[in-house]
Each structure stands twice: as structure tokens, then as C-alpha cells.
Amino acid sequence: MVADVNWDEVVTRAIAEDVGAGDVTTEVLGIAKAPARAAIMAREDGVLFGIEAARHVYRKLDRRVIFKSVIDDGRKFSAGRAVARLSGPAGPILAGERVALNFIQRLSGIATATAAFVDRADNVTVKVLDTRKTTPGLRAAEKAAVRAGGGENHRFGLYDGIMIKDNHKRLCGGIGEAIRRAHANRRPHVPIFAEVETVQEAEEAAAAGADVIMLDNFDVDTARDACDVIGNRAVVEVSGGITLSNIAAYARSGVSRISVGALTHSARALDFAMEVEA
């Protein structure tokens, strides 16, 4: 499932949080109505995402502001390049500065990190996926940033896939029994993901009919052993401890999918600035 980003909803919350009743600095300086031009500048290289969020910021604040993207979302950019240009009253341009930059720097950081992992995996048949370790309220936007960086999305929520993890196994009495219950009670076409911690559990999950078997914190050699045991009975995914230095080895281990929580929970925000010309 791929959820569309409701930029109107996300941006409305962000403006309320930052702008509130108004920009008192611009008001007391008497420059709110002054005509101005501005550019959003990249201070480092990366993959862009968040331009549409920034555009929505200015649609919400004041439609007199003309916002023109120079580089589209999903494209690479280099330091020193303008990614967008604005013109209009200085008041709304300045009021939206931090909100627009927050979206662009955060989401571009995710897109850039994802592109790095995909590139380092160096295997077009292996999918690099995100997780549900996202910023509350920004999941759809952050997962869209992952797609912009060349990755793919895992579940969007608890509602679009059965994910049997360690706590479920304990309550059901084991991975095999949990999968059997899932088969007996699931809605049609809802996939069953089974997280396993040993090669023996991987065999049990495959025998019970899991659609996707997730190797949790397996080293590369053990992941290879699990792939041999599972064979073609299920899609094999590895997660936990995946870094830029080891993802290529995992991509060669026989797995089909590699999920990386760091794409969203640890991506570094990129450096952007708005430069205003009176």
C-alpha cells in the first residue's frame, strides 16, 4: 500500500505550530508589505524531496507569493544550487521560511540516505525498504521521501499486513502456531510476515506458510544459511544492524528485501538556507 501525502493537512499543522498568530518580528519592523525575492539554496549535495511541501506552505500563508521550483522532487542537486525561487510580499515569505526549510531539509535527508543505501547495495534485484520507525504525523511524507530516494515502502501501519513478532510468538506459543492462527483468521490477500531469530525458526515459519520471513539481526553467513533452508517457499527479508558498510554483503546473501530503520529514524537533515533580496 502506498499512501498519498496529504500536504494540506501536514502543512496546516506545521504553520499553526510555528507561525501561530503571526510573525511579530516582521510586524514590528514594518517590512511585511515590502516586495521581496528569495531563493532556497542547497549548501550540500543530495537528493531533493519536500518541494511540494514548501509550495503548500506558501499557498496556505499567502497566494500572492509566487513559488517556482528550480529542481523537482526526486532529483539530485549540488551544493550552491537554488532549488526554488520566490517573489512577493516579504511578510509571508519570511513567515514561511522555517516551515518550508524544515520540510525540505528533513525529507531531503531521508531521500539522500535512501539513495546511499540503494547505491551501496549495488543489486537491482534486492529491494531496500523502510520501516514504521517514522516521525509521528509525518509517516506518509517520510515514506514518500524514501521512494524519491529509490527505496520502497514496508507496511504503512498495523492495518495492511500481519506482522508476527517476538511478543506475538510468546503469546501464541511459538512462530508456527502464530502463523497457523493467522492463516485461519486473516482477510483475503493480507500478507503474513514472520520475524524469526534463528535458522530453525526460519524453517518452522516456511513450513507453516509465511509469505515473508524476516531475519531479525542475522549476520551475513547465518542469513545465507536461512535462505538455503527457506528456498522458494517464502520471500526472505533481513533487518536489524544494516549499515552502509555491510548492506552489499547482505544483498549478496540470497535475501530479496533489506529493511533499514535508519532511513527514517536516523537520517541527517540536509543543510538548506533561504536568501532574501529586498
Side-chain angles (χ1 to χ4, degrees):
M1 176 181 179
V2 175
D4 292 331
V5 185
N6 187 338
W7 288 122
D8 187 69
E9 177 183 314
V10 172
V11 165
T12 297
R13 289 199 308 267
I15 289 174
E17 176 181 69
D18 195 56
V19 181
D23 177 3
V24 295
T25 306
T26 304
E27 291 172 7
V28 300
L29 295 178
I31 57 175
K33 296 181 180 179
R37 293 190 298 269
I40 298 177
M41 305 294 297
R43 289 180 169 172
E44 57 185 311
D45 301 347
V47 177
L48 187 66
F49 197 72
I51 282 292
E52 284 308 307
R55 191 189 311 277
H56 274 73
V57 168
Y58 288 102
R59 283 178 182 169
K60 278 285 181 184
L61 284 173
D62 195 324
R63 287 185 174 268
R64 292 176 297 171
V65 175
I66 299 171
F67 183 100
K68 293 184 177 180
S69 58
V70 178
I71 300 174
D72 293 333
D73 279 337
R75 299 290 186 179
K76 292 182 178 180
F77 59 86
S78 55
R81 286 288 308 277
V83 300
R85 298 189 184 279
L86 304 85
S87 61
I93 289 177
L94 294 176
E97 175 183 357
R98 177 43 51 199
V99 178
L101 291 178
N102 280 351
F103 279 120
I104 291 176
Q105 67 188 24
R106 168 66 179 158
L107 298 175
S108 294
I110 291 172
T112 303
T114 302
F117 273 93
V118 171
D119 181 65
R120 197 68 65 88
D122 193 28
N123 188 333
V124 295
T125 66
V126 174
K127 298 176 180 179
V128 177
L129 298 99
D130 54 23
T131 69
R132 286 165 46 239
K133 297 175 182 178
T134 55
T135 307
L138 290 179
R139 178 166 295 171
E142 292 182 350
K143 282 181 171 283
V146 167
R147 298 195 301 274
E152 297 193 18
N153 298 143
H154 218 293
R155 292 187 305 165
F156 264 76
L158 299 176
Y159 48 84
D160 61 349
I162 298 166
M163 176 80 79
I164 299 169
K165 298 171 72 70
D166 52 357
N167 288 328
H168 303 110
K169 290 185 289 186
R170 294 188 189 107
L171 290 167
C172 291
I175 188 68
E177 175 60 21
I179 294 171
R180 283 188 286 273
R181 293 188 190 186
H183 272 295
N185 298 298
R186 69 170 169 173
R187 299 190 307 274
H189 311 301
V190 177
I192 298 174
F193 299 81
E195 188 176 272
V196 302
E197 299 174 60
T198 66
V199 174
Q200 182 180 351
E201 263 198 332
E203 162 59 33
E204 189 177 353
D211 297 305
V212 180
I213 297 176
M214 301 178 62
L215 312 179
D216 184 35
N217 286 302
F218 279 47
D219 61 37
V220 174
D221 290 336
T222 311
R224 188 176 294 110
D225 292 342
C227 289
D228 290 340
V229 165
I230 295 166
N232 295 322
R233 291 180 290 175
V235 173
V236 184
E237 177 179 327
V238 66
S239 63
I242 309 298
T243 66
L244 286 173
S245 62
N246 65 24
I247 190 171
Y250 279 105
R252 294 191 297 267
S253 69
V255 303
S256 299
R257 298 152 52 111
I258 302 175
S259 53
V260 186
L263 299 183
T264 51
H265 71 59
S266 296
R268 179 181 64 83
L270 297 192
D271 191 4
F272 289 87
M274 180 178 287
E275 298 178 3
V276 173
E277 176 187 350

